[in-house]
C-alpha cells in the first residue's frame, strides 16, 4: 500500500514536471524525483495552494503547493475565465509587480494568459508600489488588476493579489468563483500564452498617481518636517522621494543599506517594520542625523510605519497610534464621510469619530472590507495600513500615508509640538487606549487549529483579573459582520478591555489583538496610566496563552 502511494506520488510529480515551463523549478523537481525524496515531494503535492480573498501566497518552488509559473498560469487562466463569465470579455486587466524573486516572470505570464483569453492586458513599467496598481485600475478603466507581491513575507515567498474593477481587493463570493475556474484548468498546454499582444505601460500612470497625491495635502500647509526614510529593500524609494519632492518637503535621508530593491532582504530577518530588529538601521541613521521622525514602508509600500524620538532613542508608534493621529489630523482638516477600521484595530477611532460628528464603521480584517464601506473617507488597520484617499486608491497606501504623516508632523513642529504631544491630547480627551499583540508563528498549522478549538471548547471567564462579560464566536457572524474564523471577548472590571483571536490570513501565525482603556484625568496621570495599561496587557497575554495551551 505504501509502495503504491509512493509510486502514485512520483507519477504525479512527473506529470507536473512534464508541464513545468520554468527551467529552474523543473530542475529542482527533477532532482527531487531522482533522489527519491518522497517526504519533500509529499509536502509539495499534498494539495494545491488555495486561492482565497488574499489571492495566493506561498513559498517559491516546484509543485502545486508552492508559488511557481505553473501555479500562476493556472490562476491567471481561472481569473480570465471568471472575468469573461462576468461579461468582461475584451476588458482590460492591469498587472503590477514588486521586486521579489520571480515577480517579473509571474507578471509576464499573467499578461500572456489574459491576452490569450481575449482580454486586454497592460503591465506597469517596472516594480512599483502596490497602491500604484490599485490606482491604475480605476484610472485606466480596467475590469480587474493583479499585483504580484508577497508584501512583507520572508524572502522565499511570493504572492498573487487580485483586484476587481472598483479598485478593491476581491471578497467572497468572487474568490470561490475564481477558485472554481482555476480548478477547472486541466493542462497548461490548453492555456493560450502568446509571446506578445499586451501593452507595456510607460510612466504616464505613475505620473498620474503622483498628481493624485495632491489631494492628500492642504494647499499651503506646513512642509518642514525632517525625515529618515527606509524602503526596507522594497520598491517604495522612487515613488516616496518623488512625492516628497513634488510637495516641497525636505528630502528624506535614506537608509542606504535598505534603499534599493533586493529580493534577498539581506539586512532583516523579516522585511516587516513591525518585526524586532527590522528598524535598527533606521534608528542608527536617525541617531546620526537627528530628524523629526522616521518613516518606513514595507517592501511593496502599501504599509507605513512611523517612529518618534523617545528618551534619547527612538520608538516605533503602533499602527493604532498612527491610525488615531491621522484621524485627528483629518478631523482638523474638516474631513467629512465615514471613518472605518477593522475589528482588530483600536476602538479609539470610534471615539474620535463620535466626537467629530463623522460616521464610523467596523469591518472584518483586511482592506478588502474597509475599502467597501459606503461613503468611506478614511480607513485604517492596526497592521500599519492606512487609506487616506479612498477616491484615489481604495486600498492601503504607504506613500500617501507617509505624506499625510509628514504634513501633520510639520504642522505640529511649527507649533513647537510633536506627534507624541498629540497622542497625549487624545489620551486626555478619550482615555488611554493601550494596545498590544500576542502573535505566535508556527511551523505546524495544526497548532493554530488546536488553540482555536481549546478556546471554543472552554472560553476564558476572566483574563488579567478582568471578568469576561461577552464571548463571541465570529465564525457564526454577527448582526453587522459576516462569518470569519475568530473569537472576540469583552472584559470589564476596574478597566474595560477587548481581546480578538484569529488565524492570520497571509502568514502561518495565530494573532491575538488586545486593548485596554485606562481613564486619564489629568496630564500627570499619563505616564502611570501607560505603565498600568501595559501591565494589564502583559497579564492578559499570559492568561490567554494558558487558555490556548501554547
Amino acid at each position: 500500500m505504501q509502495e503504491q502511494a509512493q509510486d502514485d506520488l512520483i507519477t504525479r510529480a512527473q506529470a507536473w514536471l512534464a508541464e513545468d515551463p520554468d527551467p529552474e523549478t523543473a530542475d529542482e523537481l527533477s532532482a527531487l524525483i531522482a533522489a527519491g525524496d518522497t517526504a519533500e515531494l509529499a509536502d509539495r503535492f499534498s494539495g494545491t495552494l488555495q486561492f482565497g480573498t488574499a489571492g495566493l501566497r506561498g513559498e517559491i518552488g516546484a509543485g502545486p503547493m508552492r508559488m511557481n509559473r505553473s501555479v500562476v498560469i493556472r490562476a491567471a487562466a481561472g481569473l480570465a475565465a471568471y472575468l469573461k463569465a462576468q461579461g468582461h470579455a475584451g476588458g482590460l486587466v492591469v498587472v503590477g509587480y514588486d521586486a521579489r524573486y520571480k515577480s517579473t516572470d509571474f507578471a509576464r505570464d499573467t499578461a500572456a494568459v489574459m491576452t490569450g483569453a481575449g482580454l486586454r492586458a497592460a503591465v506597469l513599467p517596472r516594480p512599483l508600489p502596490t497602491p500604484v496598481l490599485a490606482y491604475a485600475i480605476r484610472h485606466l478603466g480596467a475590469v480587474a488588476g493583479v499585483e504580484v507581491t508577497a508584501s512583507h513575507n520572508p524572502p522565499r515567498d511570493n504572492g498573487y493579489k487580485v483586484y476587481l474593477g472598483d479598485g478593491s481587493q476581491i471578497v467572497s463570493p468572487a474568490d470561490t468563483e475564481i477558485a472554481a475556474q482555476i480548478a477547472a484548468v486541466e493542462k497548461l498546454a490548453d492555456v493560450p500564452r502568446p509571446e506578445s499582444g499586451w501593452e507595456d505601460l510607460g510612466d504616464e500612470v505613475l505620473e498620474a498617481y503622483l498628481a493624485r497625491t495632491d489631494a492628500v495635502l492642504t494647499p499651503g500647509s506646513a512642509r518642514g518636517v525632517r525625515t529618515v526614510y527606509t524602503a526596507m529593500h522594497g520598491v517604495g524609494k522612487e515613488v516616496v522621494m518623488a512625492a516628497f519632492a513634488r510637495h516641497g518637503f525636505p528630502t528624506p535621508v535614506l537608509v542606504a543599506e535598505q534603499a534599493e530593491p533586493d529580493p534577498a532582504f539581506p539586512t532583516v530577518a523579516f522585511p516587516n517594520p513591525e518585526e524586532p530588529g527590522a528598524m535598527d538601521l533606521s534608528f542608527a541613521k536617525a541617531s546620526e542625523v537627528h530628524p523629526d521622525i522616521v518613516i518606513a514602508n514595507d517592501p511593496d509600500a502599501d504599509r507605513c510605519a512611523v517612529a518618534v524620538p523617545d528618551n534619547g532613542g527612538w520608538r516605533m508608534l503602533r499602527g493604532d497610534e498612527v491610525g488615531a493621529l491621522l484621524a485627528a489630523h483629518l478631523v482638523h482638516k474638516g474631513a467629512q464621510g465615514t471613518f472605518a477600521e477593522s475589528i482588530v484595530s483600536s476602538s479609539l477611532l470610534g471615539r474620535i469619530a463620535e466626537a467629530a460628528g463623522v460616521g464610523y464603521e467596523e469591518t472584518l480584517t483586511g482592506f478588502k472590507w474597509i475599502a467597501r464601506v459606503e461613503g468611506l473617507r478614511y480607513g485604517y488597520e492596526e497592521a500599519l495600513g492606512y487609506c487616506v484617499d479612498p477616491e484615489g486608491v481604495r486600498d492601503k497606501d504607504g506613500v500617501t500615508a507617509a505624506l499625510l504623516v509628514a504634513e501633520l508632523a510639520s504642522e505640529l513642529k511649527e507649533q513647537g509640538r510633536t506627534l507624541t504631544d498629540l497622542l497625549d491630547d487624545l489620551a486626555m480627551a478619550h482615555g488611554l487606549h493601550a494596545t498590544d499583540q500576542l502573535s505566535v508563528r508556527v511551523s505546524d498549522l495544526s497548532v493554530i487549529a488546536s488553540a482555536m478549538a481549546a478556546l471554543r471548547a472552554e472560553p476564558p471567564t476572566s483574563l488579567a483579573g478582568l471578568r469576561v462579560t461577552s464571548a463571541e464566536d465570529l465564525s457564526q457572524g454577527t448582526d453587522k459582520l459576516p462569518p470569519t474564523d475568530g473569537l472576540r471577548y469583552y472584559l470589564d472590571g476596574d478597566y474595560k478591555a477587548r481581546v480578538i483571536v484569529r488565524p492570520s490570513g497571509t502568514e502561518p501565525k495565530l494573532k491575538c489583538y488586545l486593548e485596554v482603556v485606562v481613564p486619564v484625568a489629568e496630564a500627570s496621570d499619563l505616564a502611570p496610566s501607560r505603565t498600568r495599561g501595559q501591565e494589564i496587557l502583559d497579564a492578559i497575554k499570559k492568561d490567554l496563552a494558558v487558555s490556548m495551551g501554547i
Side-chain angles (χ1 to χ4, degrees), residues 37 40 55 96 100 162 177 326 351 357 381 411 438 479 483:
D37 191 344
E40 182 67 19
R100 284 178 176 266
V162 176
E177 293 171 3
L326 291 178
R351 305 278 184 94
E381 192 158 69
E411 183 179 288
L438 172 61
D479 56 345

Side-chain angles (χ1 to χ4, degrees), residues 27 56 167 177 201 239 373 424 461 542:
D27 288 348
L56 293 169
E177 293 171 3
L201 295 167
V239 182
V373 168
D424 287 347
T461 57
K542 186 179 297 184

